[in-house]
Amino acid sequence: CDLIFHIFLLFGWRNLSFVLVDFIIIGSVDRSTIGAFDRFLESMFVISTLYFVWRITGEMFSTIITSWRVFRVNLFTFWTLVDVVSTATAAVFVINIIVASAFRVYPSGWFDYFAVMTGLFWLKLLSFLKVMNPSLATFVLAITQVLKDVLLLLLILAMVTLAFSDMFYTIISRDFTMCPPDEDPDDGNPYCSNLRYLDVFTQILGNFGYEFFLGHSLAIFLFVIMTIFGAVIFLNILIAVVDDSYSTSREKSTRLFGRARILTVAKLNALEQIMKPKWLNRRDRSLIRASKLLFKLLSLGFFGASVYVITMLIDFVVIDNPSSPAYIAAAA
């Protein structure tokens, strides 16, 4: 069931985001061209968002009433934060189309937000898939281990990038033949502007180019040192660290997969506990009983909203209304 909602959330959002991009490019959207399948995906995006908001709320509430320590330990992990943040971004967009409109001219900043949403939804799907298969769990969790192991190496890379960038800038920027004062920094020599950091970073990783250093013997010498560091030293150390981290993850694959599944089962069990009828929770304190009642009312509200969206979808498909049901259902 969760896998289906993850897929609907991701692909429903992809469909909706592409329509929003077309709206900016073309200036309008011909809703008569929106097919029943597209309407279905958009509606399922809204329903999936409601489901995950309900799910995250229930998991957080259930861990809080269990123990604050359990709540903190569970919340401040990478994959839990991915689930929470991705669900929150989806909820913000759904609220936005309820308050305003889905198909309108969004400022450019919104599209940066949409791009982040897309990445988060892919990570959310990846986070769920790691509990489906032991080999996949090893690959996914090994990535986390690799990132932890290369943090200090990435710090060294950042320091080296800054050092060479500033040295090249000091040498080249004073040469007016290479850095004319009236030249647009974005169109000229990257070592005349802040683009030098990006250029040095790509050169260290193998995208070599020496044309910007010609005419300066010291710059050429520094370029040779930089390429030796990047191509010979840094990349080989990085490969060795990644290989060692992956080997370690392979050795712990069974434990990693078991840990991933145990966390998932624990969350499901905790969510089940707060959904039990009142007569099965007689030992609860009054405050906890009241909180559980509020959560059940919230669950009923989300269920009713989902039924409403489905009803609107069926209605629009049957009468072949060209409007988008996700937009109409959310904006109604």
Side-chain angles (χ1 to χ4, degrees):
C1 180
D2 271 15
L3 178 60
I4 295 174
F5 279 114
H6 277 88
I7 293 174
F8 281 144
L9 181 73
L10 173 59
F11 287 94
W13 168 246
R14 287 182 75 249
N15 183 80
L16 188 55
S17 63
F18 292 161
V19 173
L20 293 174
V21 172
D22 291 340
F23 185 85
I24 290 295
I25 296 173
I26 302 174
S28 63
V29 175
D30 185 3
R31 294 177 186 172
S32 63
T33 62
I34 300 177
F37 184 68
D38 294 328
R39 301 173 191 175
F40 171 74
L41 286 178
E42 293 173 16
S43 299
M44 291 309 299
F45 168 75
V46 176
I47 294 172
S48 299
T49 299
L50 293 174
Y51 168 76
F52 284 117
V53 170
W54 170 81
R55 177 74 177 269
I56 293 294
T57 303
E59 290 176 355
M60 295 179 67
F61 172 69
S62 62
T63 51
I64 287 175
I65 64 176
T66 300
S67 168
W68 274 103
R69 182 175 180 274
V70 173
F71 172 73
R72 291 194 301 269
V73 171
N74 175 67
L75 179 62
F76 296 107
T77 60
F78 174 76
W79 295 112
T80 301
L81 289 175
V82 167
D83 284 341
V84 173
V85 175
S86 60
T87 303
T89 57
V92 168
F93 181 76
V94 171
I95 292 172
N96 173 70
I97 63 177
I98 293 174
V99 174
S101 169
F103 299 110
R104 61 184 176 88
V105 178
Y106 286 89
S108 58
W110 272 98
F111 287 89
D112 297 335
Y113 180 79
F114 297 158
V116 172
M117 283 179 64
T118 302
L120 287 172
F121 292 159
W122 279 107
L123 281 176
K124 182 175 176 62
L125 177 61
L126 189 63
S127 172
F128 178 76
L129 290 178
K130 74 179 185 294
V131 303
M132 302 288 291
N133 181 273
S135 298
L136 188 58
T138 302
F139 295 144
V140 173
L141 296 173
I143 294 174
T144 307
Q145 184 63 43
V146 168
L147 291 176
K148 290 179 181 178
D149 292 342
V150 301
L151 280 178
L152 294 178
L153 190 60
L154 293 178
L155 176 62
I156 295 174
L157 174 62
M159 294 173 64
V160 171
T161 300
L162 292 173
F164 278 102
S165 299
D166 292 342
M167 286 190 289
F168 288 135
Y169 177 74
T170 304
I171 296 171
I172 296 174
S173 62
R174 61 182 174 82
D175 187 347
F176 292 154
T177 61
M178 301 188 71
C179 297
D182 57 347
E183 185 179 46
D184 187 352
D186 295 334
D187 297 332
N189 190 325
Y191 295 95
C192 303
S193 65
N194 289 331
L195 289 175
R196 62 185 183 273
Y197 299 110
L198 179 60
D199 195 80
V200 167
F201 176 74
T202 57
Q203 297 231 31
I204 289 176
L205 296 183
N207 186 24
F208 302 127
Y210 59 84
E211 63 273 9
F212 300 118
F213 310 113
L214 297 177
H216 296 276
S217 56
L218 179 57
I220 294 175
F221 174 75
L222 291 175
F223 171 74
V224 172
I225 298 299
M226 181 183 66
T227 53
I228 292 175
F229 168 80
V232 179
I233 300 175
F234 177 78
L235 292 181
N236 282 283
I237 293 176
L238 180 63
I239 292 171
V241 172
V242 171
D243 182 68
D244 183 66
S245 299
Y246 182 72
S247 298
T248 302
S249 299
R250 291 276 296 180
E251 295 173 359
K252 301 177 180 179
S253 60
T254 303
R255 182 172 64 86
L256 291 174
F257 178 64
R259 183 175 64 182
R261 299 207 66 157
I262 287 173
L263 289 174
T264 303
V265 171
K267 290 178 181 180
L268 290 174
N269 184 65
L271 189 60
E272 180 184 349
Q273 292 296 320
I274 64 174
M275 293 300 295
K276 283 184 176 180
K278 178 179 178 181
W279 59 83
L280 295 179
N281 295 286
R282 294 176 178 175
R283 297 181 181 179
D284 290 340
R285 290 173 296 180
S286 299
L287 180 60
I288 294 179
R289 285 189 180 183
S291 301
K292 288 183 176 181
L293 177 61
L294 290 175
F295 180 73
K296 291 173 183 177
L297 292 176
L298 178 67
S299 303
L300 290 175
F302 283 170
F303 176 76
S306 300
V307 171
Y308 175 72
V309 173
I310 293 174
T311 303
M312 293 295 293
L313 171 64
I314 296 173
D315 181 47
F316 277 89
V317 170
V318 169
I319 66 176
D320 196 24
N321 191 304
S323 299
S324 168
Y327 166 65
I328 296 297

